[in-house]
Amino acid sequence: MSETGDPLEWYRRMQRLRRFEARAAALVESGEIVGAVHEYTGEEAVAVGVCAALREDDIITSTHRGHGHILAKGGEPRRMFAELLGRESGYNRGRGGSMHIADFSRGIYGANGIVGAGAPMACGAAHAFRTRAEDRVAVPFFGDGAMNQGVLLESFNLAVLLSLPVVFVCENNGIAITSSTEEMTPGGVAPRAAGFGLPSRSVDGMDVRAVHEAATTAVRRARAGGGPSFIECRTVRYSVHNIAAGALPRESRSEAFMEAARRRDPIERLAGELDRERGWRQGERTEIDENVEGELDAAVEFARAGRRPDAKTALDFMYAATYPDFPARGWEP
Amino acid sequence: MRTLTYVAALNEALHQAMAEDDSVMVLGENIRNGVRAETRGLDERFAPGRVLDMPISEAAFTGFANGAAMAGLRPVVEFQVASLIFPAFDQIVNQAAKLRLMLGGQGRLPVTFFLMGAGAGGGRAGQHSDNPYPFLMHAGVKTVIPATPEDAKGLLLAAIFEDDPVALVAPANLLGEESEVPEEAYRTPLAHGVRRREGRDVTICAVGHLVPAALAAAERLASAGMEAEVWDPRSLLPFDKAGLAASVAKTGRLVVADDSGRTCGFAAEVSSLMAERCFEFLKAPIKRVTRADVTISYSTPIEAAALPGDEEIEGAVRAVMGHTEPAPGSTPVHG
Ligand SMILES: Cc1ncc(C[n+]2csc(CCOP(=O)(O)OP(=O)(O)O)c2C)c(N)n1
């Protein structure tokens, strides 16, 4: 999705993320999605604010909670839903599901089921860009939980040492499944990154403007050869950690906390600001929302119409270069 | 033909690969300034970004190589010691090995995991003596282990230009071996084993530094009238099943010599493969010669006692040669 400083477009993109997740949750509920889904709801300003500062040829790595990043970077809802439904028409031909969606043509180097694992890959990609004298930037997204993964901390060091065009984006939603960030990450998130020599900022992740402004500065610096930096976006996930068919959602946070969080809602906040600054035309907001709904309804229909992979293809795609009798089957045919 | 040491052959392969293709890069610990012979001269010859000294961060620099590969480079990641793949295992097993299928065939991961100085001997003790190839094979990582300088060069070039992750295991005990190596660049194909010695009585499938050990054993056995065929798979995954099966079908006996753990090891896999494929040709049970399932000790006598060598291979061959099939209708004796 292209770079944009237009708040109305941010609004549209945030709505797309939120309503995508509402549909994904419904598809989990109906049993059409077989695996787990980690909803991005509540955190939309982070993905949209950051990706609106990126060019189409910049790359991101994403997380288990990846739908938002992928949509914000231009991922097509219909191919995402098709992936969630395990269809051949999905981004990964149904081989990956929610946690592994990738679209290399749009610089989406994949969601990732392993906390922190995308960060070193983003560093490597950034290095590749630099060796070819391309002014592309790599942005690894990760949660606060990743701040305690060795590979992420090692990646901070690598990025500084090699002065890579990387912008690390930490989505600090205050919690990792049920563990509080405050408790698990002594010293705080942004100061920890600063300790590696990374220019480090902490912004209100419920404010798309603040996120976009911080990301624009960091991306500009990286693109101009000024090296890596770090942005902590303080946000809230509205949903439970994840949902899956038949699983009981458990919420460890208090009702009062959740209520207070929803009062900081990033979409309502931007809508309010737009109202004060320029005023909504009669029906303008509804029109945008309905357009998004229509696009997503069509996307779900596209996904449902897709076919499931043929059982005969279960061994496909493991390797680019194959050999006779390789990869091995589990039993003699 | 001129001769090269194993390590010089590896070095020549890196030079030739980098000269042939700008996207090839080498990264790892202490690789610049010619400290290590296999990377000698690369930093003087090629652009700085193509020869990277990394901090002691195996997980991150392996992930870095994965990402660089996704973005179009062909990185060679050196692990200073084979056991150092373990700190990087998530990036090797969960990422590199799985990504292609998981992403439905999107992207390319032409990364080489270059495991220098694999194996035991000389008091390297518990954490520097592993031959961790069964872990890699189990994870689906293509894995090769050259036994000669010629194959060291050809397999490293093949690994670098394969469009999938490939691990190349360079046994510490072979690095100083010297033999003829062609000067031009050539690629030794994966999934092609090679017969190192012809014989009619028994096949010894030997891996890495056990190839010369098997050849030494075969010479002694020959003077006792037993002709052993020595077969070097070179490529453990993919494995040349048909090549070994042809040899076993001819000799009717198989000893597998592999210096990795006995349980779920490479020899275990080859034995079961050949039992499935060649049962009707077998005149004796297949025998494995492997490491004991223990941590390798420092002190020489107990280090050696856990490791397979030419004598153990010879003993196993004598055992399968001495095996006589039970007469029809007799009951097997257990004990
Ligand atoms: C390395 C690793 N350890 C554990 C898990 C299991 N796990 C999945 S999500 C998660 C919490 C992650 O928290 P955070 O990074 O803050 O992201 P959030 O879920 O809050 O978006 C854990 C522990 C994992 N996927 N990877």
Side-chain angles (χ1 to χ4, degrees), chain A residues 38-40 43 63-65 99 112-117 142-147 149 170-179 181 237 241-242, chain B residues 90 94:
Chain A
H38 300 75
E39 291 169 84
Y40 195 68
E43 307 187 9
T63 68
H64 55 288
R65 200 176 300 292
M99 264 190 287
N112 207 304
I114 303 300
V115 168
F142 47 89
D144 47 272
M147 290 300 292
Q149 267 286 312
C170 179
E171 296 173 317
N172 184 356
N173 59 19
I175 196 164
I177 305 188
T178 57
S179 298
T181 311
R237 72 163 149 79
H241 174 68
N242 63 13
Chain B
D90 178 62
N94 255 330

Side-chain angles (χ1 to χ4, degrees), chain A residues 41-321:
Chain A
T41 311
E43 307 187 9
E44 294 88 351
V46 181
V48 169
V50 170
C51 291
L54 296 178
R55 293 195 317 229
E56 186 137 328
D57 66 343
D58 292 329
I59 71 105
I60 62 165
T61 61
S62 172
T63 68
H64 55 288
R65 200 176 300 292
H67 300 172
H69 311 134
I70 294 157
L71 285 165
K73 190 67 174 64
E76 292 176 54
R78 55 186 204 142
R79 296 192 62 201
M80 293 173 66
F81 279 126
E83 188 58 32
L84 298 181
L85 297 189
R87 300 304 209 267
E88 194 65 60
S89 49
Y91 264 121
N92 307 18
R93 297 166 170 266
R95 272 77 176 168
S98 169
M99 264 190 287
H100 305 297
I101 300 176
D103 180 354
F104 279 71
S105 71
R106 289 188 168 82
I108 301 161
Y109 277 26
N112 207 304
I114 303 300
V115 168
M121 298 183 196
C123 292
H127 176 74
F129 301 154
R130 252 223 331 230
T131 60
R132 294 192 296 255
E134 299 166 352
D135 66 345
R136 297 160 72 185
V137 172
V139 177
F141 286 98
F142 47 89
D144 47 272
M147 290 300 292
N148 295 315
Q149 267 286 312
V151 74
L152 179 67
L153 305 178
E154 291 180 7
S155 298
F156 291 166
N157 183 53
L158 270 192
V160 174
L161 155 77
L162 298 172
S163 191
L164 297 172
V166 173
V167 178
F168 293 98
V169 177
C170 179
E171 296 173 317
N172 184 356
N173 59 19
I175 196 164
I177 305 188
T178 57
S179 298
S180 106
T181 311
E182 225 179 338
E183 181 190 347
M184 294 294 160
T185 316
V189 165
R192 187 172 289 189
F196 285 84
L198 281 167
S200 172
R201 283 181 66 181
S202 178
V203 300
D204 181 355
M206 307 301 263
D207 177 357
V208 66
R209 282 200 158 92
V211 172
H212 182 259
E213 187 274 318
T216 303
T217 308
V219 168
R220 204 168 280 156
R221 175 183 9 216
R223 210 182 295 294
S229 47
F230 179 94
I231 306 170
E232 173 191 13
C233 301
R234 301 184 310 275
T235 182
V236 183
R237 72 163 149 79
Y238 287 0
S239 60
V240 291
H241 174 68
N242 63 13
I243 49 173
L248 289 179
R250 279 188 312 135
E251 181 51 75
S252 58
R253 297 166 297 180
S254 72
E255 197 39 57
F257 173 89
M258 296 310 299
E259 232 166 76
R262 285 194 197 94
R263 280 198 296 274
R264 294 168 61 207
D265 186 71
I267 297 180
E268 289 311 317
R269 174 181 181 143
L270 178 64
E273 287 172 5
L274 286 171
D275 196 32
R276 285 191 295 281
E277 288 160 16
R278 60 184 279 286
W280 289 98
R281 265 189 295 105
Q282 173 74 26
E284 187 184 10
R285 200 179 156 186
T286 322
E287 193 184 313
I288 294 177
D289 295 354
E290 281 173 358
N291 275 343
V292 169
E293 293 281 356
E295 173 202 15
L296 294 173
D297 283 338
V300 171
E301 284 324 302
F302 168 88
R304 285 190 172 125
R307 61 181 174 82
R308 292 192 166 80
D310 190 321
K312 283 202 286 292
T313 66
L315 275 62
D316 288 1
F317 304 119
M318 182 71 187
Y319 301 99

Side-chain angles (χ1 to χ4, degrees), chain B residues 273-331:
Chain B
L273 261 176
M274 290 302 120
E276 282 176 337
R277 292 212 170 197
C278 297
F279 188 73
E280 66 270 33
F281 300 106
L282 288 172
K283 300 170 190 156
I286 297 167
K287 273 212 176 294
R288 288 178 288 163
V289 180
T290 67
R291 257 180 204 208
D293 278 350
V294 294
T295 304
I296 298 304
S297 288
Y298 167 68
S299 183
T300 309
I302 47 175
E303 179 195 49
L307 299 172
D310 56 348
E311 288 173 20
E312 290 72 28
I313 296 170
E314 184 182 341
V317 169
R318 288 182 185 278
V320 297
M321 290 302 294
H323 178 86
T324 45
E325 284 175 73
S330 69
T331 342

Side-chain angles (χ1 to χ4, degrees), chain A residues 112 127 132 319-321 323 325, chain B residues 49 60 71 95 140 142 162 164 277:
Chain A
N112 207 304
H127 176 74
R132 294 192 296 255
Y319 301 99
Y323 296 85
D325 207 8
Chain B
Q95 310 298 333
K142 292 178 175 177
E162 184 91 349
D164 291 307
R277 292 212 170 197

